[in-house]
Amino acid sequence: MTKTNSIQFKQGIGRWAGNAEVFDSQGCFLGNGSDYRNVQSLDGGRVRIDVSFVGPFKHSGHYFIQQEDDHRLYEGPANIGYAETLSESLVDANAYWPALGLSQRFFLMIVDGNLQLSLAQMSRGEHMMYIVVGQNDKVPEDTPVPQPTVVSGTHYDLHNDPTSGRGEILLHRPGRWSGELSALDHERKPLGKKLYEETITPIKENMIGLRIEGGAFGPGVRKMSLVTNQWQAWATDDSEIVGSYSLSGGRALSGQFYHREAHLRCWRREVVCLDGTRKAVVQHWYRGGQRVGSQFGVMEFEKA
């Protein structure tokens, strides 16, 4: 790959604590996790991360990161792998956690200077074991770790609730998501920021309409109808875009979609913040197996 512009993830130094929601491979709620990370800058572009996670699975340890111009190397011992630095506020990683025996597809986005949203898809082989939807707040120096916000309930009651106790699928609410997405080409060179909108309209029970406008890849208006059982959603065959995604607690999704007119495949991942007002969006676009670009950013919700 041609060398890209120098972009380093610069906003993650400090102490971060928060609430994670953990789901199984079907999107069923397994429980909350207490997530704490202490990120320290070392000499020579190195970073040390001390991590403690206690929930449906548990782990504590540390690992080192070597920061390069456009990527990060996770050098162990707790986390080994490679992360693309897509912007100063977004990393997209493929890594392995030896103590857990789990491979991880992961993105972390700084929504503002003090809030992180993340999505970790953790598998053993090709079997998805856990999906971790994270929201962490930065903890100021010399202050105690704050009590995270959680939805009250028990695993027994919420396991078969696709909304995880919130009473609605946040990603399927009637209304409009809008914002600017930063776009990169196949060499990760910037293409600028593009306006992007998604409008969700109920069609009938268990079916919604999605209208997409803007972005760097097929900026015209595109429409599709999605059938949903509240755990997954899939496009009808008469849609301009076809594909499907899985949901986690109604506030995170991951899936693949084929845009018929452009002949491009899009891998979409999204996480909504706990108050439902914003979502972090990461999209990678492919022609066959070749990535042609990416777009990402934060979108805000306006209720219909």
Side-chain angles (χ1 to χ4, degrees), residues 78-270:
N79 186 12
I80 301 167
Y82 182 100
E84 296 180 69
T85 305
L86 298 178
S87 78
E88 292 185 355
S89 60
L90 172 64
V91 291
D92 192 343
N94 287 273
Y96 180 69
W97 291 77
L100 301 173
L102 296 175
S103 299
Q104 180 190 59
R105 295 182 300 172
F106 173 76
F107 84 76
L108 184 148
M109 184 182 294
I110 308 279
V111 174
D112 55 44
N114 298 311
L115 177 67
Q116 295 177 343
L117 292 176
S118 62
L119 179 64
Q121 297 168 285
M122 309 187 76
S123 60
R124 185 166 291 158
E126 295 297 320
H127 177 67
M128 188 74 68
M129 302 283 286
Y130 302 104
I131 301 165
V132 184
V133 182
Q135 176 168 321
N136 283 24
D137 296 298
K138 193 167 188 178
V139 181
E141 294 297 327
D142 303 321
T143 60
V145 174
Q147 184 72 24
T149 301
V150 297
V151 176
S152 295
T154 69
H155 162 258
Y156 179 86
D157 296 313
L158 300 182
H159 182 76
N160 293 316
D161 178 357
T163 74
S164 297
R166 277 178 282 271
E168 61 180 346
I169 303 294
L170 295 180
L171 284 162
H172 288 176
R173 291 171 295 171
R176 183 180 68 168
W177 292 97
S178 61
E180 284 189 330
L181 300 187
S182 298
L184 305 176
D185 69 9
H186 67 287
E187 295 179 336
R188 284 191 269 160
K189 294 180 180 178
L191 296 173
K193 292 187 176 182
K194 310 290 183 179
L195 292 174
Y196 187 80
E197 291 185 356
E198 296 177 347
T199 303
I200 299 168
T201 306
I203 297 176
K204 59 183 180 180
E205 186 178 5
N206 297 327
M207 182 176 286
I208 60 173
L210 179 61
R211 180 185 185 275
I212 299 173
E213 183 174 5
F217 306 94
V221 175
R222 292 89 76 196
K223 298 178 181 179
M224 63 176 162
S225 299
L226 291 162
V227 180
T228 180
N229 58 11
Q230 300 192 83
W231 304 98
Q232 301 95 24
W234 56 96
T236 58
D237 59 5
D238 59 348
S239 296
E240 297 172 36
I241 307 167
V242 291
S244 62
Y245 56 71
S246 56
L247 289 157
S248 300
R251 62 177 284 244
L253 68 79
S254 178
Q256 305 273 344
F257 286 87
Y258 183 74
H259 291 240
R260 290 177 165 179
E261 184 176 346
H263 300 292
L264 294 176
R265 172 174 57 89
C266 178
W267 177 27
R268 298 174 48 146
R269 286 171 292 169
E270 301 177 2

Side-chain angles (χ1 to χ4, degrees), residues 16-30:
W16 297 86
N19 162 60
E21 295 179 339
V22 184
F23 304 88
D24 67 13
S25 60
Q26 303 300 313
C28 297
F29 182 73
L30 295 178

Side-chain angles (χ1 to χ4, degrees), residues 67-82:
Q67 299 200 83
E68 303 294 345
D69 285 344
D70 62 354
H71 63 276
R72 316 176 101 200
L73 301 175
Y74 297 156
E75 298 182 330
N79 186 12
I80 301 167
Y82 182 100

Side-chain angles (χ1 to χ4, degrees), residues 6 35 55 113 178 225 299-300 303:
S6 177
D35 189 7
S178 61
S225 299
M299 301 178 69
E300 296 190 355
K303 187 176 294 188

